[in-house]
Amino acid sequence: EIVLTQSPATLSLSPGERATLSCRASQSVSRYLAWYQQKPGQAPRLLIYDTSNRATGIPARFSGSGSGTDFTLTISSLEPEDFAIYYCMQRSNWPPLTFGGGTKVEIK
Amino acid sequence: EVQLVESGGGLVQPGRSLRLSCAASGFSFDDYAMHWVRQVPGKGLEWVAGINWNSGSIGYTASVKGRFTISRDNAKNSLYLQMNSLRGEDTALYYCTKDFGPEVGTTDFWGQGTLVTVSS
């Protein structure tokens, strides 16, 4: 099973600042990594698939990069609605598909 | 508009069974793989099971293999999860999710979930 480790667990930032979230895989997942956003009381929403492709309707301030075992989600300038929990997920080697433990982006 | 509506959750005693259903609409159901993903309230996400478009490829996470069965009825646009021998650690919100394509991969749309509580 591929283990995904996200860091940091919590990121405290102000609106307008840049957010950089990390996801590290226990073995290579090639580029088969996605990012999801979850707000309180809501289902997760797909942001990025296959490392760097934005899902439909996702603003350009969200971008993804990486390959192999190290991946990054960047939010170029935080909007108030971006404060949420972010999860990475790999589809390279299944079953199982696996998720990271999440990074909470909170208002500083 | 894509819609996924889960049902069948509730309170069940350990060792008993429960069947979850997911009614899909707004897309061509038989063109897409589907999944069940669960989340303990306040905790992270855990993929439970996935099934490809024609039920020819199915997979489970280790902790449910042999106890849970995922299935689909393309004629009814429905996804199911039969859960047997339930344990306390199965308590979670269960999401039905749609895949990007016909084979198991990235989930791109999630329902609102149905809560399963396993307790005596």
Side-chain angles (χ1 to χ4, degrees):
Chain A
E1 171 176 328
I2 295 177
V3 176
L4 299 180
T5 302
Q6 291 188 241
S7 61
T10 304
L11 198 52
S12 299
L13 294 168
S14 300
E17 289 193 294
R18 183 184 188 90
T20 303
L21 288 67
S22 174
C23 178
R24 177 164 289 178
S26 59
Q27 63 189 78
S28 176
V29 299
S30 184
R31 291 180 60 83
Y32 299 130
L33 191 102
W35 292 92
Y36 297 85
Q37 177 195 66
Q38 188 177 33
K39 297 179 182 179
Q42 296 185 17
R45 176 177 71 147
L46 177 67
L47 298 176
I48 301 284
Y49 64 95
D50 292 350
T51 297
S52 59
N53 299 289
R54 276 190 301 276
T56 303
I58 302 304
R61 65 181 181 273
F62 292 92
S63 63
S65 62
S67 67
T69 60
D70 290 293
F71 298 86
T72 300
L73 174 69
T74 301
I75 311 171
S76 59
S77 178
L78 282 164
E79 296 288 339
E81 61 268 27
D82 298 337
F83 292 92
I85 299 175
Y86 293 83
Y87 296 95
C88 57
M89 189 208 76
Q90 69 80 25
R91 69 174 182 93
S92 172
N93 187 11
W94 84 284
L97 302 180
T98 52
F99 290 91
T103 290
K104 182 179 182 180
V105 178
E106 65 176 22
I107 299 176
K108 187 175 181 179
Chain B
E1 178 192 3
V2 174
Q3 284 199 333
L4 298 171
V5 179
E6 303 93 337
S7 61
L11 176 63
V12 61
Q13 293 179 327
R16 303 298 291 263
S17 298
L18 208 58
R19 189 193 196 206
L20 305 184
S21 299
C22 171
S25 60
F27 65 101
S28 183
F29 183 74
D30 55 6
D31 281 343
Y32 296 93
M34 299 291 294
H35 308 254
W36 290 99
V37 178
R38 66 186 179 185
Q39 184 173 36
V40 175
K43 302 296 184 183
L45 300 168
E46 181 184 28
W47 179 84
V48 174
I51 184 168
N52 79 332
W53 69 281
N54 67 353
S55 306
S57 180
I58 290 174
Y60 302 92
T61 194
S63 63
V64 309
K65 196 170 184 180
R67 299 189 298 124
F68 290 11
T69 302
I70 187 172
S71 62
R72 64 190 295 160
D73 186 336
N74 286 346
K76 295 182 178 180
N77 290 346
S78 293
L79 178 72
Y80 306 101
L81 186 67
Q82 177 67 43
M83 304 186 294
N84 298 332
S85 304
L86 282 161
R87 306 168 180 167
E89 54 265 36
D90 296 318
T91 294
L93 184 65
Y94 283 72
Y95 292 103
C96 166
T97 78
K98 169 190 167 290
D99 202 289
F100 247 124
E103 300 300 329
V104 170
T106 302
T107 69
D108 70 345
F109 189 83
W110 300 55
Q112 288 304 304
T114 186
L115 184 62
V116 173
T117 304
V118 183
S119 175
S120 55

